[in-house]
Amino acid sequence: MSDEQPHLPPLIAVVGPTAVGKTATAIALAQAFDGEIVSADSRQLYIGMDIGTAKPTPEEQAAARHHLIDILTPDQQMTLADFQDRAYAAIADITARGKLPLLVGGTGLYVRAVLEGYRIPRVPPNPEFRRAMEALAAREGAQALYTRLQALDPEAAANIDPRNVRRVIRALEVIEATGEPFSAQQGREPPPYDILRIGLTMPRDALYARADARIRAMWEAGWVDEVRRLVAAGYTPETSDAMKSLGYPEVVAYVRGEITDENEVLRLIGRSTRRFIRQQYGWFRLDDPRIHWFDVQQQPREAITAFVAQWLARRSPPSPPPRQ
């Protein structure tokens, strides 16, 4: 079901795992319904990180206007609160111009922050604190950070994966800055939109094969040269959180000569990608009743377009009776 508030302006979300075809589907919907796309991909924010993030090509961006792509350099950071603010501003702008906003991406936390209206503590990043916590995790393991969070804020800890070091550090950072539990500063206030969630999926083995093929295609399209340019500009996994994005550390290792076998790099990236896909299915659950799932192998894109058309038509107010 959608959020079923037809008196509110529409917002369509297209979600699902990496490599399933969200970009092509979103562009088709944008073209069919005079829409614009708001990217909810935490990696496509960064200038110069094009191939390895499967960023929409210039041709794709010309086919449908995209927002929140290429807005940061790799040494900059985007907090969840910053992203939410920018996404809401873009959606409001699209709506005000009479067009249909489409929130599209596989970064689950970004999508849910927008659609569910997370109330997020406005605490700026503290690089020194983060470095200290990262050093602690490197020295004593991620569990040491998680144990600290459990002691300070057990409610927050219960809702964070212990393996997600960045989220654990962020919770500790907020507690350090405010002196209050992270959980006490959170809540939800859904945005003023009638929301339709479209999920794209396919059988897991087929999706893994598709992801492997895309990794190979990105490699052949010049991913190594892209990473060489980024490293030459001073962006590395040690200096930039953006360069810790999926696949980039492995390509950096290849550029540095730490891995010399191309097939080994691709195997490692494929392994990381499959792990990431499993995480995405944790964010976007197939049993979530709010998401209308489409198996893209079984259901053509036209079926999704027809479904959206029906949903939009149901939202339309009835025509006034003819004058007597």
Side-chain angles (χ1 to χ4, degrees), residues 107-320:
T107 302
L109 190 58
Y110 277 18
V111 171
R112 288 175 63 172
V114 172
L115 298 185
E116 299 178 24
Y118 285 7
R119 290 201 297 270
I120 305 164
R122 261 54 182 176
V123 174
N126 182 333
E128 184 177 345
F129 180 84
R130 291 186 177 189
R131 283 193 293 270
M133 293 299 99
E134 289 168 355
L136 176 62
R139 191 170 61 249
E140 301 182 20
Q143 185 61 39
L145 290 183
Y146 190 71
T147 299
R148 178 177 295 196
L149 180 60
Q150 285 178 310
L152 293 172
D153 189 348
E155 183 178 344
N159 290 298
I160 297 177
D161 186 334
R163 296 167 297 181
N164 193 331
V165 173
R166 290 184 64 180
R167 286 200 69 202
V168 172
I169 290 175
R170 176 58 179 168
L172 291 170
E173 181 179 53
V174 171
I175 295 169
E176 171 77 11
T178 65
E180 299 178 2
F182 183 62
S183 56
Q185 302 177 62
Q186 295 183 301
R188 301 182 188 188
E189 185 177 350
Y193 294 95
D194 185 18
I195 299 170
L196 175 67
R197 294 167 169 86
I198 298 292
L200 306 183
T201 188
M202 66 171 60
R204 197 67 62 92
D205 288 347
L207 181 59
Y208 289 164
R210 183 174 170 131
D212 286 342
R214 188 171 77 166
I215 293 165
R216 169 64 70 175
M218 292 191 299
W219 186 270
E220 294 175 353
W223 195 359
V224 173
D225 289 336
E226 175 178 280
V227 168
R228 283 198 180 101
R229 288 192 296 271
L230 290 163
V231 170
Y235 304 127
T236 70
E238 294 79 19
T239 63
S240 163
D241 282 344
M243 290 294 286
K244 297 175 184 175
S245 297
L246 185 65
Y248 278 86
E250 291 89 344
V251 182
V252 169
Y254 180 81
V255 167
R256 290 171 169 171
E258 297 165 1
I259 304 174
T260 57
D261 185 345
E262 168 184 315
N263 290 324
E264 175 65 7
V265 178
L266 297 177
R267 185 190 70 81
L268 292 172
I269 297 173
R271 185 179 66 180
S272 298
T273 300
R274 288 188 286 276
R275 185 185 308 119
F276 181 53
I277 287 170
R278 291 192 292 271
Q279 292 172 352
Q280 288 177 304
Y281 275 116
W283 280 106
F284 310 118
R285 300 188 61 84
L286 294 171
D287 60 358
D288 186 338
R290 299 170 301 177
I291 303 176
H292 296 271
W293 285 101
F294 289 83
D295 184 329
V296 298
Q297 283 196 323
Q298 302 295 326
Q299 297 163 292
R301 192 168 297 144
E302 292 77 10
I304 302 173
T305 302
F307 179 82
V308 172
Q310 291 171 0
W311 180 77
L312 290 170
R314 287 199 302 270
R315 295 186 69 264
S316 300
S319 301

